[in-house]
């Protein structure tokens, strides 16, 4: 496994979904994070510190403002995939005098669930990481106060869905193929959803469960966009596609890490399946000594996920929360997200790493489904998918 592949695995481990950890562990993470947040906000020291407490690996970073005592503190509620360079967070504290404590209750789905459950007594002041598959639910529950950052770049305008949320980054969830496997086996890689149904590609695909994986839900949404809705009887449209894919020896696993590193032939392990659900940003992390990527994303199978930040209703420090939302659109943070969270900055003027330019092109026409449709149909989609694919 190359160092870049290891880097990808480390990053992906931060993007694991809720099923990669037991429910009890998730609950413990919430309790622990709340306790840490309480300590940070109530401490009596006159020397400010900014601690970033993260679920993965118990990583912590502390920064002290060089401008004297901090004016205030805020708590950022985020998912357990959130990662930022310590010097970037330190710059925010230095510029504003605001200390930041992080609470990470789980993956993107768990994050929204916790925001809704605690809306009468919010976990913090500001949230980052609500995506377009879950955003409408949080909006309808009154989780946020209205605020869209005035620092929003023009390239972000197409992703606006409500005046309470500011788009910060995005990523394309796509099927990836192991180019080396296909070359070694004398076969042409598939290119489209329909190709995966052909007999010559039987037993080659591994995906994640949309009930337990946010990439899995994104892929489900992509097929809804590609093949249309089902009938009232639950036939036709996208469900017929999944039934056919099931019959072509589809493998379904709970989490991304197992799919990519256990079952995928290009994941550096002993996997035998050359098609996996991953991200358009995955191929740069398979570049070998020859300077070429071992894998490629199938750009006709992508769904675009967008992550948002917002000020929580009932926040103790709404002004500090608004300042952090603005900072998430600043050049230092936007330039940091590709390397730290393996997503694309929402500001298209920010320079990407060269390997992303070479090997991580975005889909020109990703499949899309309106956020309100996802909100209304999500549970029914998952139930129907489960009954059909996992029967």
């Amino acid at each position: 496994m190359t160092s870049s592949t290891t880097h990808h695995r480390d990053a992906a481990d931060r993007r694991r979904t809720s099923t990669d950890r037991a429910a009890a562990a998730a609950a413990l993470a919430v309790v622990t994070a709340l306790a840490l947040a309480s300590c940070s906000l109530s401490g009596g020291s006159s020397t400010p510190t900014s601690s970033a407490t993260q679920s993965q690996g118990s990583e912590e970073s502390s920064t002290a403002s060089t401008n004297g005592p901090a004016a205030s503190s805020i708590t950022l509620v985020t998912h357990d995939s959130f990662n930022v360079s310590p010097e970037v967070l330190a710059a925010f504290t230095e510029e504003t005098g605001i200390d930041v404590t992080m609470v990470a209750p789980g993956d993107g789905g768990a994050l929204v669930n916790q925001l809704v459950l605690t809306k009468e007594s919010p976990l913090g002041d500001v949230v980052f990481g609500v995506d377009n598959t879950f955003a409408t639910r949080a909006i309808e529950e009154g989780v946020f106060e209205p605020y869209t950052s005035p620092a929003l770049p023009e390239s972000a305008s197409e992703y606006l869905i409500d005046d309470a949320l500011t788009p910060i980054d995005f990523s394309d969830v796509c099927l990836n193929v192991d180019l080396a496997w296909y070359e070694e086996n004398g076969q042409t890689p598939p290119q489209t959803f329909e190709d995966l149904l052909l007999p010559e590609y039987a037993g080659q695909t591994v995906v994640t469960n949309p009930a337990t994986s946010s990439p899995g839900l994104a892929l489900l949404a992509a097929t809804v966009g590609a093949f249309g809705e089902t009938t009232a009887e639950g036939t036709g449209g996208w469900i017929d596609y999944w039934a056919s894919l099931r019959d072509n020896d589809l493998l379904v696993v709970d989490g991304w890490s197992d799919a990519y590193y256990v079952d995928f032939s290009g994941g550096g392990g002993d996997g035998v399946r050359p098609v996996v659900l991953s991200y358009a940003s995955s191929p740069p992390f398979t570049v070998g000594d020859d300077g070429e990527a071992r894998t490629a994303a199938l750009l006709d199978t992508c769904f675009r996920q967008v992550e948002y930040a917002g000020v929580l209703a009932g926040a103790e420090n709404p002004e500090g929360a608004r300042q952090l939302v603005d900072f998430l659109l600043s050049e230092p943070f936007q330039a940091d997200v590709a390397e730290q969270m393996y997503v694309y900055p929402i500001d298209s003027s920010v320079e990407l790493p060269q390997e992303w330019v070479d090997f991580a092109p975005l889909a020109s026409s990703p499949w899309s489904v309106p956020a309100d449709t996802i909100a209304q149909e999500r549970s029914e989609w998952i139930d129907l998918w489960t009954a059909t694919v996992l029967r």
Side-chain angles (χ1 to χ4, degrees):
M1 184 182 297
T2 65
S3 60
S4 60
T5 301
T6 303
H7 198 194
H8 181 218
R9 183 167 190 167
D10 290 342
D13 284 344
R14 293 194 298 269
R15 298 183 64 85
R16 288 179 182 171
T17 56
S18 57
T19 57
D20 294 318
R21 49 188 60 79
L28 178 59
V30 175
V31 173
T32 303
L34 286 171
L36 288 168
S38 175
C39 291
S40 175
L41 293 175
S42 61
S45 172
S46 61
T47 303
T49 61
S50 174
S51 64
T53 304
Q54 301 181 11
S55 298
Q56 293 289 344
S58 299
E59 298 174 4
E60 291 186 313
S61 63
S62 296
T63 61
S65 171
T66 60
N67 296 332
S72 60
S73 298
I74 58 172
T75 298
L76 169 64
V77 188
T78 186
H79 51 57
D80 55 14
S81 304
F82 181 83
N83 198 48
V84 60
S85 297
E87 62 271 19
V88 172
L89 189 60
F92 173 75
T93 299
E94 183 173 353
E95 292 169 10
T96 64
I98 299 173
D99 294 333
V100 181
T101 296
M102 295 185 197
V103 175
D107 77 336
L111 171 62
V112 171
N113 288 338
Q114 289 299 315
L115 293 177
V116 171
L117 290 172
T118 62
K119 65 181 181 180
E120 300 303 326
S121 182
L123 297 176
D125 303 286
V126 58
V127 63
F128 166 83
V130 175
D131 80 352
N132 52 322
T133 64
F134 287 101
T136 302
R137 181 186 176 211
I139 292 167
E140 291 175 348
E141 292 285 348
V143 166
F144 308 108
E145 74 166 35
Y147 182 70
T148 302
S149 174
L152 196 73
E154 178 60 32
S155 56
S157 59
E158 65 178 294
Y159 301 118
L160 289 170
I161 58 175
D162 188 85
D163 64 0
L165 289 173
T166 296
I168 304 298
D169 64 62
F170 67 95
S171 58
D172 281 352
V173 176
C174 317
L175 291 164
N176 280 219
V177 293
D178 181 356
L179 298 174
W181 186 96
Y182 283 102
E183 182 176 356
E184 292 165 3
N185 286 273
Q187 192 174 9
T188 300
Q191 298 296 320
T192 66
F193 280 131
E194 290 85 354
D195 286 350
L196 299 179
L197 304 182
L198 298 175
E200 56 263 40
Y201 298 117
Q204 293 189 3
T205 304
V206 55
V207 302
T208 53
N209 188 331
T212 58
S213 160
S214 58
L217 180 57
L219 179 63
L220 174 53
T223 60
V224 173
F227 299 103
E229 288 283 7
T230 64
T231 66
E233 292 75 30
T235 60
W238 63 267
I239 199 62
D240 280 4
Y241 174 77
W242 279 99
S244 297
L245 191 59
R246 173 205 65 204
D247 292 343
N248 212 30
D249 192 16
L250 173 71
L251 175 63
V252 178
V253 298
D254 283 340
W256 181 91
S257 288
D258 281 345
Y260 199 93
Y261 292 114
V262 176
D263 298 298
F264 181 43
S265 60
D270 297 324
V272 298
R273 293 187 175 239
V275 183
V276 66
L277 178 61
S278 195
Y279 299 88
S281 55
S282 293
F285 304 99
T286 66
V287 174
D289 294 338
D290 60 357
E292 296 297 324
R294 177 184 172 89
T295 66
L298 303 185
L299 299 182
D300 288 334
T301 67
C302 299
F303 179 86
R304 185 153 297 172
Q305 285 186 313
V306 183
E307 290 190 307
Y308 297 86
V311 178
L312 290 171
E316 291 187 7
N317 188 353
E319 177 55 34
R322 288 189 283 269
Q323 290 185 63
L324 184 61
V325 173
D326 295 346
F327 181 77
L328 297 180
L329 291 173
S330 69
E331 196 280 336
F333 185 86
Q334 288 286 296
D336 202 45
V337 297
E339 294 284 11
Q340 296 301 321
M341 290 188 283
Y342 303 90
V343 292
Y344 300 81
I346 206 73
D347 186 346
S348 61
S349 69
V350 172
E351 186 176 356
L352 291 170
Q354 186 57 47
E355 285 187 338
W356 283 49
V357 175
D358 295 339
F359 301 111
L362 289 165
S364 58
S365 300
W367 298 105
S368 63
V369 178
D372 56 350
T373 300
I374 295 174
Q376 294 167 9
E377 304 293 338
R378 182 191 308 111
S379 294
E380 186 173 338
W381 287 346
I382 291 174
D383 288 346
L384 182 56
W385 182 96
T386 301
T388 301
V389 179
L390 301 184
R391 68 179 188 179

